[in-house]
Amino acid sequence: GIGIDDMFVIMQCFDNLTPQERGQDISETISLTMRRAGVAITVTSLTDFMVFAIGSSTVLPALRSFCLWCGVGILAVYMYQITLFVACLSLDCKRLANSRNGLCPCYVHKKNDKATEAAESQIQ
């Protein structure tokens, strides 16, 4: 996928953050993720767009139309990746921080630590 692999780059940069970097505020965590992934996805999307923009200068009408619309599509996917996908990622981080379920976000998981579970198992 041209352009679609940007979300994999963003998620890999997010996964590569240290626990100290993830322990910060969610907006700081997302900012640090995009600071690392932003250059890579911008360069690849720009070069893909440039290739199709150059390809749209051909004399063949069908190929010109194909290259023109591929360039527009790459720019649209890039804009969605840096806006919509990053916004959804930050909402998911907020959901995880609040111990909410992924399928039904209105359900909050109980926060049992290991000491509490050990004490409960000894009582029974």
Side-chain angles (χ1 to χ4, degrees), residues 32-66:
L32 188 58
T33 300
M34 288 307 292
R35 192 175 310 143
R36 294 180 180 176
V39 174
I41 64 174
T42 300
V43 168
T44 58
S45 295
L46 258 170
T47 55
D48 290 343
F49 172 75
M50 297 275 292
V51 166
F52 284 112
I54 292 169
S56 68
S57 67
T58 186
V59 294
L60 300 171
L63 187 58
R64 180 184 320 143
S65 177
F66 173 77

mmCIF file of all heavy atoms in Angstrom, residues 32-66:
data_model
loop_
_atom_site.group_PDB
_atom_site.id
_atom_site.type_symbol
_atom_site.label_atom_id
_atom_site.label_comp_id
_atom_site.label_asym_id
_atom_site.label_seq_id
_atom_site.Cartn_x
_atom_site.Cartn_y
_atom_site.Cartn_z
ATOM 1 N N LEU A 32 5.243 13.191 20.685
ATOM 2 C CA LEU A 32 6.543 12.541 20.537
ATOM 3 C C LEU A 32 6.501 11.470 19.452
ATOM 4 O O LEU A 32 7.449 11.330 18.668
ATOM 5 C CB LEU A 32 6.967 11.932 21.871
ATOM 6 C CG LEU A 32 8.377 11.382 21.962
ATOM 7 C CD1 LEU A 32 9.402 12.462 21.651
ATOM 8 C CD2 LEU A 32 8.629 10.825 23.350
ATOM 9 N N THR A 33 5.395 10.753 19.369
ATOM 10 C CA THR A 33 5.236 9.745 18.317
ATOM 11 C C THR A 33 5.265 10.387 16.939
ATOM 12 O O THR A 33 5.966 9.928 16.041
ATOM 13 C CB THR A 33 3.912 8.981 18.510
ATOM 14 O OG1 THR A 33 3.923 8.335 19.777
ATOM 15 C CG2 THR A 33 3.698 7.968 17.414
ATOM 16 N N MET A 34 4.514 11.468 16.779
ATOM 17 C CA MET A 34 4.464 12.126 15.477
ATOM 18 C C MET A 34 5.760 12.866 15.149
ATOM 19 O O MET A 34 6.093 13.032 13.981
ATOM 20 C CB MET A 34 3.271 13.084 15.409
ATOM 21 C CG MET A 34 1.947 12.358 15.329
ATOM 22 S SD MET A 34 1.887 11.138 14.004
ATOM 23 C CE MET A 34 1.928 12.196 12.575
ATOM 24 N N ARG A 35 6.472 13.282 16.168
ATOM 25 C CA ARG A 35 7.770 13.910 15.924
ATOM 26 C C ARG A 35 8.724 12.906 15.297
ATOM 27 O O ARG A 35 9.538 13.252 14.442
ATOM 28 C CB ARG A 35 8.337 14.439 17.239
ATOM 29 C CG ARG A 35 9.517 15.357 17.053
ATOM 30 C CD ARG A 35 9.984 15.958 18.368
ATOM 31 N NE ARG A 35 8.872 16.530 19.119
ATOM 32 C CZ ARG A 35 8.765 16.477 20.438
ATOM 33 N NH1 ARG A 35 9.694 15.875 21.164
ATOM 34 N NH2 ARG A 35 7.749 17.017 21.056
ATOM 35 N N ARG A 36 8.614 11.645 15.703
ATOM 36 C CA ARG A 36 9.497 10.605 15.166
ATOM 37 C C ARG A 36 8.980 10.046 13.846
ATOM 38 O O ARG A 36 9.757 9.743 12.953
ATOM 39 C CB ARG A 36 9.662 9.490 16.188
ATOM 40 C CG ARG A 36 10.385 9.955 17.416
ATOM 41 C CD ARG A 36 10.544 8.872 18.426
ATOM 42 N NE ARG A 36 11.245 9.375 19.611
ATOM 43 C CZ ARG A 36 11.451 8.667 20.679
ATOM 44 N NH1 ARG A 36 11.037 7.419 20.739
ATOM 45 N NH2 ARG A 36 12.089 9.188 21.701
ATOM 46 N N ALA A 37 7.674 9.881 13.723
ATOM 47 C CA ALA A 37 7.113 9.262 12.515
ATOM 48 C C ALA A 37 6.792 10.273 11.425
ATOM 49 O O ALA A 37 6.726 9.907 10.250
ATOM 50 C CB ALA A 37 5.844 8.498 12.879
ATOM 51 N N GLY A 38 6.613 11.509 11.799
ATOM 52 C CA GLY A 38 6.170 12.526 10.845
ATOM 53 C C GLY A 38 7.101 12.728 9.670
ATOM 54 O O GLY A 38 6.654 12.887 8.531
ATOM 55 N N VAL A 39 8.381 12.711 9.919
ATOM 56 C CA VAL A 39 9.349 12.926 8.841
ATOM 57 C C VAL A 39 9.273 11.782 7.839
ATOM 58 O O VAL A 39 9.229 12.010 6.621
ATOM 59 C CB VAL A 39 10.780 13.063 9.412
ATOM 60 C CG1 VAL A 39 11.797 13.134 8.299
ATOM 61 C CG2 VAL A 39 10.880 14.279 10.309
ATOM 62 N N ALA A 40 9.221 10.560 8.322
ATOM 63 C CA ALA A 40 9.202 9.396 7.433
ATOM 64 C C ALA A 40 7.948 9.369 6.562
ATOM 65 O O ALA A 40 8.043 9.166 5.348
ATOM 66 C CB ALA A 40 9.301 8.116 8.253
ATOM 67 N N ILE A 41 6.788 9.597 7.166
ATOM 68 C CA ILE A 41 5.571 9.522 6.368
ATOM 69 C C ILE A 41 5.442 10.723 5.429
ATOM 70 O O ILE A 41 4.883 10.592 4.337
ATOM 71 C CB ILE A 41 4.316 9.349 7.245
ATOM 72 C CG1 ILE A 41 4.073 10.546 8.136
ATOM 73 C CG2 ILE A 41 4.399 8.084 8.047
ATOM 74 C CD1 ILE A 41 2.772 10.475 8.912
ATOM 75 N N THR A 42 5.973 11.868 5.824
ATOM 76 C CA THR A 42 5.927 13.034 4.948
ATOM 77 C C THR A 42 6.818 12.830 3.730
ATOM 78 O O THR A 42 6.413 13.122 2.597
ATOM 79 C CB THR A 42 6.345 14.304 5.711
ATOM 80 O OG1 THR A 42 5.450 14.496 6.809
ATOM 81 C CG2 THR A 42 6.305 15.522 4.817
ATOM 82 N N VAL A 43 8.016 12.325 3.942
ATOM 83 C CA VAL A 43 8.934 12.117 2.823
ATOM 84 C C VAL A 43 8.378 11.080 1.853
ATOM 85 O O VAL A 43 8.389 11.291 0.629
ATOM 86 C CB VAL A 43 10.338 11.717 3.341
ATOM 87 C CG1 VAL A 43 11.214 11.207 2.221
ATOM 88 C CG2 VAL A 43 11.001 12.892 4.034
ATOM 89 N N THR A 44 7.878 9.959 2.364
ATOM 90 C CA THR A 44 7.368 8.929 1.452
ATOM 91 C C THR A 44 6.120 9.403 0.712
ATOM 92 O O THR A 44 5.986 9.153 -0.488
ATOM 93 C CB THR A 44 7.054 7.621 2.203
ATOM 94 O OG1 THR A 44 6.111 7.878 3.238
ATOM 95 C CG2 THR A 44 8.299 7.001 2.773
ATOM 96 N N SER A 45 5.243 10.109 1.391
ATOM 97 C CA SER A 45 4.034 10.597 0.719
ATOM 98 C C SER A 45 4.371 11.668 -0.311
ATOM 99 O O SER A 45 3.778 11.698 -1.397
ATOM 100 C CB SER A 45 3.036 11.150 1.736
ATOM 101 O OG SER A 45 2.576 10.122 2.571
ATOM 102 N N LEU A 46 5.316 12.535 0.016
ATOM 103 C CA LEU A 46 5.722 13.566 -0.943
ATOM 104 C C LEU A 46 6.374 12.964 -2.182
ATOM 105 O O LEU A 46 6.086 13.398 -3.310
ATOM 106 C CB LEU A 46 6.687 14.549 -0.273
ATOM 107 C CG LEU A 46 6.080 15.875 0.140
ATOM 108 C CD1 LEU A 46 7.038 16.663 1.000
ATOM 109 C CD2 LEU A 46 5.655 16.663 -1.048
ATOM 110 N N THR A 47 7.250 11.992 -1.995
ATOM 111 C CA THR A 47 7.899 11.384 -3.162
ATOM 112 C C THR A 47 6.893 10.600 -4.005
ATOM 113 O O THR A 47 6.959 10.661 -5.240
ATOM 114 C CB THR A 47 9.065 10.475 -2.743
ATOM 115 O OG1 THR A 47 8.593 9.501 -1.809
ATOM 116 C CG2 THR A 47 10.196 11.272 -2.137
ATOM 117 N N ASP A 48 5.957 9.911 -3.364
ATOM 118 C CA ASP A 48 4.913 9.208 -4.122
ATOM 119 C C ASP A 48 4.061 10.204 -4.911
ATOM 120 O O ASP A 48 3.745 9.970 -6.084
ATOM 121 C CB ASP A 48 4.018 8.386 -3.198
ATOM 122 C CG ASP A 48 4.729 7.187 -2.605
ATOM 123 O OD1 ASP A 48 5.789 6.812 -3.135
ATOM 124 O OD2 ASP A 48 4.219 6.641 -1.605
ATOM 125 N N PHE A 49 3.708 11.304 -4.286
ATOM 126 C CA PHE A 49 2.919 12.333 -4.972
ATOM 127 C C PHE A 49 3.690 12.913 -6.149
ATOM 128 O O PHE A 49 3.128 13.108 -7.232
ATOM 129 C CB PHE A 49 2.517 13.444 -3.996
ATOM 130 C CG PHE A 49 1.885 14.615 -4.679
ATOM 131 C CD1 PHE A 49 0.586 14.530 -5.146
ATOM 132 C CD2 PHE A 49 2.594 15.787 -4.872
ATOM 133 C CE1 PHE A 49 0.000 15.607 -5.798
ATOM 134 C CE2 PHE A 49 2.018 16.870 -5.519
ATOM 135 C CZ PHE A 49 0.713 16.778 -5.982
ATOM 136 N N MET A 50 4.974 13.174 -5.936
ATOM 137 C CA MET A 50 5.793 13.757 -7.020
ATOM 138 C C MET A 50 5.891 12.805 -8.216
ATOM 139 O O MET A 50 5.840 13.240 -9.365
ATOM 140 C CB MET A 50 7.188 14.096 -6.497
ATOM 141 C CG MET A 50 7.220 15.128 -5.412
ATOM 142 S SD MET A 50 7.241 16.777 -6.019
ATOM 143 C CE MET A 50 8.824 16.849 -6.772
ATOM 144 N N VAL A 51 6.040 11.515 -7.938
ATOM 145 C CA VAL A 51 6.125 10.535 -9.027
ATOM 146 C C VAL A 51 4.840 10.537 -9.847
ATOM 147 O O VAL A 51 4.879 10.554 -11.086
ATOM 148 C CB VAL A 51 6.419 9.128 -8.460
ATOM 149 C CG1 VAL A 51 6.183 8.056 -9.500
ATOM 150 C CG2 VAL A 51 7.838 9.062 -7.937
ATOM 151 N N PHE A 52 3.704 10.540 -9.183
ATOM 152 C CA PHE A 52 2.441 10.544 -9.920
ATOM 153 C C PHE A 52 2.178 11.895 -10.576
ATOM 154 O O PHE A 52 1.552 11.954 -11.637
ATOM 155 C CB PHE A 52 1.283 10.129 -9.017
ATOM 156 C CG PHE A 52 1.241 8.657 -8.760
ATOM 157 C CD1 PHE A 52 1.492 8.144 -7.501
ATOM 158 C CD2 PHE A 52 0.953 7.774 -9.787
ATOM 159 C CE1 PHE A 52 1.455 6.782 -7.276
ATOM 160 C CE2 PHE A 52 0.909 6.406 -9.568
ATOM 161 C CZ PHE A 52 1.168 5.910 -8.305
ATOM 162 N N ALA A 53 2.648 12.979 -9.980
ATOM 163 C CA ALA A 53 2.500 14.296 -10.613
ATOM 164 C C ALA A 53 3.324 14.353 -11.895
ATOM 165 O O ALA A 53 2.863 14.885 -12.918
ATOM 166 C CB ALA A 53 2.933 15.395 -9.653
ATOM 167 N N ILE A 54 4.519 13.813 -11.876
ATOM 168 C CA ILE A 54 5.339 13.761 -13.088
ATOM 169 C C ILE A 54 4.695 12.829 -14.111
ATOM 170 O O ILE A 54 4.678 13.122 -15.317
ATOM 171 C CB ILE A 54 6.780 13.317 -12.745
ATOM 172 C CG1 ILE A 54 7.477 14.408 -11.941
ATOM 173 C CG2 ILE A 54 7.572 12.981 -14.002
ATOM 174 C CD1 ILE A 54 8.787 13.986 -11.323
ATOM 175 N N GLY A 55 4.146 11.712 -13.631
ATOM 176 C CA GLY A 55 3.473 10.777 -14.530
ATOM 177 C C GLY A 55 2.234 11.369 -15.178
ATOM 178 O O GLY A 55 1.838 10.949 -16.273
ATOM 179 N N SER A 56 1.619 12.358 -14.559
ATOM 180 C CA SER A 56 0.417 12.965 -15.140
ATOM 181 C C SER A 56 0.737 13.906 -16.292
ATOM 182 O O SER A 56 -0.167 14.433 -16.933
ATOM 183 C CB SER A 56 -0.382 13.707 -14.066
ATOM 184 O OG SER A 56 0.335 14.839 -13.628
ATOM 185 N N SER A 57 1.999 14.112 -16.588
ATOM 186 C CA SER A 57 2.382 14.964 -17.720
ATOM 187 C C SER A 57 2.515 14.175 -19.018
ATOM 188 O O SER A 57 2.947 14.719 -20.024
ATOM 189 C CB SER A 57 3.702 15.681 -17.404
ATOM 190 O OG SER A 57 4.753 14.730 -17.329
ATOM 191 N N THR A 58 2.114 12.917 -19.014
ATOM 192 C CA THR A 58 2.202 12.087 -20.218
ATOM 193 C C THR A 58 1.132 12.494 -21.227
ATOM 194 O O THR A 58 0.164 13.176 -20.895
ATOM 195 C CB THR A 58 2.059 10.592 -19.856
ATOM 196 O OG1 THR A 58 2.297 9.817 -21.015
ATOM 197 C CG2 THR A 58 0.689 10.294 -19.300
ATOM 198 N N VAL A 59 1.320 12.065 -22.466
ATOM 199 C CA VAL A 59 0.362 12.414 -23.520
ATOM 200 C C VAL A 59 -0.781 11.401 -23.609
ATOM 201 O O VAL A 59 -1.791 11.678 -24.255
ATOM 202 C CB VAL A 59 1.075 12.516 -24.899
ATOM 203 C CG1 VAL A 59 2.039 13.679 -24.895
ATOM 204 C CG2 VAL A 59 1.767 11.233 -25.263
ATOM 205 N N LEU A 60 -0.646 10.266 -22.965
ATOM 206 C CA LEU A 60 -1.707 9.261 -22.986
ATOM 207 C C LEU A 60 -2.823 9.678 -22.022
ATOM 208 O O LEU A 60 -2.588 9.825 -20.821
ATOM 209 C CB LEU A 60 -1.161 7.898 -22.581
ATOM 210 C CG LEU A 60 -0.043 7.329 -23.468
ATOM 211 C CD1 LEU A 60 0.552 6.095 -22.833
ATOM 212 C CD2 LEU A 60 -0.584 7.026 -24.841
ATOM 213 N N PRO A 61 -4.033 9.890 -22.498
ATOM 214 C CA PRO A 61 -5.106 10.412 -21.640
ATOM 215 C C PRO A 61 -5.462 9.509 -20.455
ATOM 216 O O PRO A 61 -5.680 10.009 -19.346
ATOM 217 C CB PRO A 61 -6.305 10.544 -22.584
ATOM 218 C CG PRO A 61 -5.770 10.437 -23.953
ATOM 219 C CD PRO A 61 -4.464 9.733 -23.890
ATOM 220 N N ALA A 62 -5.521 8.213 -20.673
ATOM 221 C CA ALA A 62 -5.890 7.311 -19.577
ATOM 222 C C ALA A 62 -4.820 7.290 -18.497
ATOM 223 O O ALA A 62 -5.121 7.326 -17.302
ATOM 224 C CB ALA A 62 -6.128 5.906 -20.117
ATOM 225 N N LEU A 63 -3.559 7.251 -18.901
ATOM 226 C CA LEU A 63 -2.456 7.252 -17.938
ATOM 227 C C LEU A 63 -2.366 8.588 -17.214
ATOM 228 O O LEU A 63 -2.077 8.636 -16.016
ATOM 229 C CB LEU A 63 -1.136 6.928 -18.641
ATOM 230 C CG LEU A 63 0.075 6.737 -17.752
ATOM 231 C CD1 LEU A 63 -0.163 5.615 -16.753
ATOM 232 C CD2 LEU A 63 1.311 6.457 -18.591
ATOM 233 N N ARG A 64 -2.636 9.675 -17.933
ATOM 234 C CA ARG A 64 -2.628 11.007 -17.311
ATOM 235 C C ARG A 64 -3.695 11.090 -16.231
ATOM 236 O O ARG A 64 -3.433 11.552 -15.118
ATOM 237 C CB ARG A 64 -2.866 12.084 -18.364
ATOM 238 C CG ARG A 64 -2.859 13.482 -17.758
ATOM 239 C CD ARG A 64 -3.184 14.579 -18.749
ATOM 240 N NE ARG A 64 -2.568 14.340 -20.041
ATOM 241 C CZ ARG A 64 -3.148 14.635 -21.204
ATOM 242 N NH1 ARG A 64 -4.352 15.170 -21.227
ATOM 243 N NH2 ARG A 64 -2.543 14.405 -22.338
ATOM 244 N N SER A 65 -4.882 10.622 -16.539
ATOM 245 C CA SER A 65 -5.976 10.645 -15.568
ATOM 246 C C SER A 65 -5.659 9.761 -14.366
ATOM 247 O O SER A 65 -5.896 10.154 -13.214
ATOM 248 C CB SER A 65 -7.268 10.187 -16.238
ATOM 249 O OG SER A 65 -8.313 10.146 -15.310
ATOM 250 N N PHE A 66 -5.126 8.558 -14.630
ATOM 251 C CA PHE A 66 -4.765 7.648 -13.551
ATOM 252 C C PHE A 66 -3.737 8.290 -12.623
ATOM 253 O O PHE A 66 -3.898 8.275 -11.391
ATOM 254 C CB PHE A 66 -4.212 6.339 -14.132
ATOM 255 C CG PHE A 66 -3.669 5.402 -13.101
ATOM 256 C CD1 PHE A 66 -4.521 4.646 -12.319
ATOM 257 C CD2 PHE A 66 -2.299 5.289 -12.896
ATOM 258 C CE1 PHE A 66 -4.027 3.777 -11.362
ATOM 259 C CE2 PHE A 66 -1.794 4.427 -11.942
ATOM 260 C CZ PHE A 66 -2.653 3.675 -11.175
#
